């Protein structure tokens, strides 16, 4: 594995002289903008590995995307190679259908110590709640980013990430009541403690998410990638292009159904990915 190869993958040309905050912010943003959040391996007869050399080969050399146990694991390696002091943490994702946080720490994130402060780095949450740059680990501080207003809140050793969203504007009336839409307002994203974790701490959760009949990942094929103005997503057979801050107060969501014949072209042309062989799109939980 080679750091320069990773830099080329995300389009980072330096200069890199020391592990400082501006470089962290830039590399984080470039990773988010270059490496899709996707679970398509699960829907093409494969499994997602947490073996770092395999992750590097998939995300960097094959130019594929991945989910948090791949992409944030890779980013943890990058942080170490660049000389940043960092710690892996485990988060529990908020599920509005429960409602509440998941029982398992299935979301891998990183804490970075730099410039006299602590920051939460998360390059692989996907969709509308993906942060573009690390968030300062300060309770109650509102931190605006293009996707919306983020805020970390601490209570009794548990940190909760909240996001305030703009209401959606959907030109295609067929999707006006789509269950995948965020309706605006403030809600939790995930919670975590500052107790350090190791990659092996996520193996059981990774196995569950890839195999359980009631896992969102086994029921929905998903690929998303931020753009300079918002993000794009392929959720089952639904292709969505989102523009943040449309007319300064909405997130414009242009959504349409696609056919199987369009899939590989969309992955190549919109997400910058190679062909995913034997891919079978799936959308069991989102009903239109």
């Amino acid at each position: 594995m080679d750091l320069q190869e990773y830099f080329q993958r995300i389009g980072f040309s330096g200069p890199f002289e020391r592990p400082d905050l501006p470089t962290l912010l830039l590399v984080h943003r470039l990773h988010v903008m270059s490496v899709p959040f996707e679970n398509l391996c699960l829907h093409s007869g494969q499994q997602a590995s947490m073996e770092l050399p395999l992750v590097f080969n998939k995300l960097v050399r094959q130019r594929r995307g991945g989910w948090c146990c791949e992409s944030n694991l890779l980013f943890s390696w990058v942080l170490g190679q660049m000389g940043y002091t960092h710690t892996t943490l485990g988060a529990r994702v908020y599920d509005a259908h429960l409602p509440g946080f998941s029982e398992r720490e299935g979301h891998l994130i990183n804490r970075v110590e730099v410039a006299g402060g602590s920051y939460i780095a998360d390059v692989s949450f996907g969709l509308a709640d993906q942060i573009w740059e690390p968030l300062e680990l300060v309770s109650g501080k509102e931190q605006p980013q293009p996707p919306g207003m983020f805020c970390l809140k601490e209570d009794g050793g548990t940190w909760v990430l909240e996001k305030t969203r703009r209401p959606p504007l959907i030109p295609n009336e067929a999707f006006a009541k789509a269950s995948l839409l965020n309706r605006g307002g403030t809600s939790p994203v995930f919670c975590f403690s500052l107790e350090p974790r190791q990659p092996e701490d996520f193996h059981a959760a990774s196995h569950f998410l890839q195999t359980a009949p009631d896992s969102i990942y086994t029921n929905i094929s998903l690929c998303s990638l931020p753009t300079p103005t918002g993000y794009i997503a392929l959720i089952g057979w639904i292709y969505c292009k989102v523009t943040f801050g449309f007319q300064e107060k909405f997130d414009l969501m242009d959504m349409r159904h696609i056919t199987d014949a369009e899939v590989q072209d969309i992955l190549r042309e919109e997400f910058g990915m190679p062909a995913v062989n034997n891919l079978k799109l799936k959308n069991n939980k989102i009903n239109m």
Side-chain angles (χ1 to χ4, degrees):
M1 299 186 298
D2 180 73
L3 187 62
Q4 293 302 320
E5 200 173 350
Y6 167 81
F7 285 160
Q8 185 177 11
R9 168 71 171 94
I10 67 169
F12 176 69
S13 56
F16 171 59
E17 298 177 352
R18 60 186 182 278
D20 56 19
L21 181 57
T23 302
L24 173 65
L25 300 182
L26 177 58
V27 171
H28 189 286
R29 179 183 281 249
L30 289 174
H31 185 121
V32 166
M33 294 288 177
S34 304
V35 182
F37 175 85
E38 53 109 334
N39 68 347
L40 301 184
C41 63
L42 307 186
H43 301 281
S44 55
Q46 301 175 1
Q47 293 286 302
S49 173
M50 289 190 66
E51 295 294 328
L52 188 56
L54 297 179
V55 173
F56 186 92
N57 186 63
K58 177 187 175 187
L59 273 61
V60 176
R61 293 177 177 151
Q62 297 180 15
R63 303 188 69 84
R64 282 283 302 275
W67 59 354
C68 68
C69 288
E70 299 170 289
S71 208
N72 276 327
L73 178 65
L74 174 64
F75 198 69
S76 178
W77 173 82
V78 170
L79 291 169
Q81 292 294 302
M82 295 182 71
Y84 286 98
T85 300
H86 69 287
T87 307
T88 295
L89 305 177
R92 295 186 293 124
V93 176
Y94 184 78
D95 185 346
H97 296 94
L98 292 176
F101 296 101
S102 60
E103 295 181 1
R104 295 174 177 82
E105 286 188 352
H107 186 52
L108 188 159
I109 57 177
N110 289 290
R111 178 185 181 182
V112 187
E113 307 291 335
V114 62
S118 292
Y119 293 80
I120 296 299
D122 181 4
V123 296
S124 191
F125 194 85
L127 300 171
D129 293 336
Q130 174 64 60
I131 61 173
W132 288 15
E133 296 179 346
L135 297 171
E136 190 174 3
L137 191 63
V138 176
S139 182
K141 180 179 180 179
E142 293 186 336
Q143 303 186 56
Q145 295 193 11
M149 183 68 73
F150 293 95
C151 185
L152 289 163
K153 295 182 178 180
E154 188 269 341
D155 183 13
T158 297
W159 289 80
V160 175
L161 173 61
E162 293 182 348
K163 182 193 173 188
T164 301
R165 305 169 180 85
R166 293 171 290 266
L169 182 63
I170 305 110
N172 189 338
E173 293 184 0
F175 294 95
K177 296 183 179 180
S179 60
L180 61 86
L181 295 177
N182 291 314
R183 300 295 174 179
T186 301
S187 62
V189 179
F190 56 71
C191 70
F192 60 96
S193 76
L194 301 183
E195 186 70 25
R197 297 288 185 258
Q198 299 298 321
E200 52 266 29
D201 294 327
F202 298 90
H203 287 177
S206 176
H207 177 76
F208 171 84
L209 292 171
Q210 295 185 70
T211 60
D214 57 343
S215 165
I216 188 172
Y217 293 110
T218 61
N219 281 277
I220 300 176
S221 57
L222 171 65
C223 185
S224 74
L225 183 69
T227 68
T229 57
Y231 70 92
I232 54 175
L234 181 61
I235 304 170
W237 291 269
I238 302 166
Y239 179 67
C240 183
K241 184 176 182 179
V242 179
T243 302
F244 291 143
F246 181 73
Q247 296 179 347
E248 298 185 355
K249 59 181 179 179
F250 298 104
D251 283 348
L252 178 65
M253 306 189 73
D254 184 8
M255 307 168 70
R256 67 180 178 91
H257 289 287
I258 67 165
T259 66
D260 287 331
E262 298 177 84
V263 173
Q264 299 297 344
D265 286 343
I266 288 175
L267 291 177
R268 182 183 66 254
E269 296 170 6
E270 304 299 331
F271 294 92
M273 288 173 51
V276 180
N277 296 326
N278 304 312
L279 176 62
K280 295 181 180 179
L281 299 183
K282 197 172 186 180
N283 188 348
N284 279 354
K285 287 193 173 182
I286 299 176
N287 299 313
M288 291 299 155

